[in-house]
Amino acid sequence: TDVQNIVDTGTLDQGQSDALIAKLKAVTEKINDGNTKATSNLLQAFINQVQAYINAGILTAAEGQQLIDAANNVINQLSS
């Protein structure tokens, strides 16, 4: 599952998906700049947003966890 799939299924509205996608675009820019600290911080912000959507009942725990796991995988790769 990725953000676009969740949008396509109607789970997130446009504003909610835009918030997540904006964070991911910023992550891409920071990765391209080689700024791993900023990348990790942005990914943590992404995770926090996903957790907020889970807590609000917008995303299921399973949907959210897939996104969180993907973000954590990137964070782990950056720190290795």
Side-chain angles (χ1 to χ4, degrees):
T1 298
D2 62 12
V3 175
Q4 191 59 53
N5 286 342
I6 291 172
V7 172
D8 291 345
T9 62
T11 303
L12 296 176
D13 67 27
Q14 194 63 47
Q16 293 160 339
S17 64
D18 286 349
L20 293 179
I21 290 169
K23 286 176 179 64
L24 294 176
K25 286 181 180 179
V27 164
T28 301
E29 290 173 15
K30 295 303 176 187
I31 286 174
N32 290 339
D33 292 343
N35 190 336
T36 57
K37 175 78 171 151
T39 301
S40 293
N41 290 342
L42 287 165
L43 285 166
Q44 189 57 55
F46 175 86
I47 290 168
N48 292 344
Q49 186 73 60
V50 171
Q51 288 174 327
Y53 289 162
I54 294 168
N55 293 340
I58 297 166
L59 291 175
T60 67
E63 289 169 330
Q65 194 60 52
Q66 289 177 345
L67 296 173
I68 291 168
D69 289 348
N72 278 324
N73 285 340
V74 175
I75 292 170
N76 291 336
Q77 290 175 4
L78 292 171
S79 58
S80 62

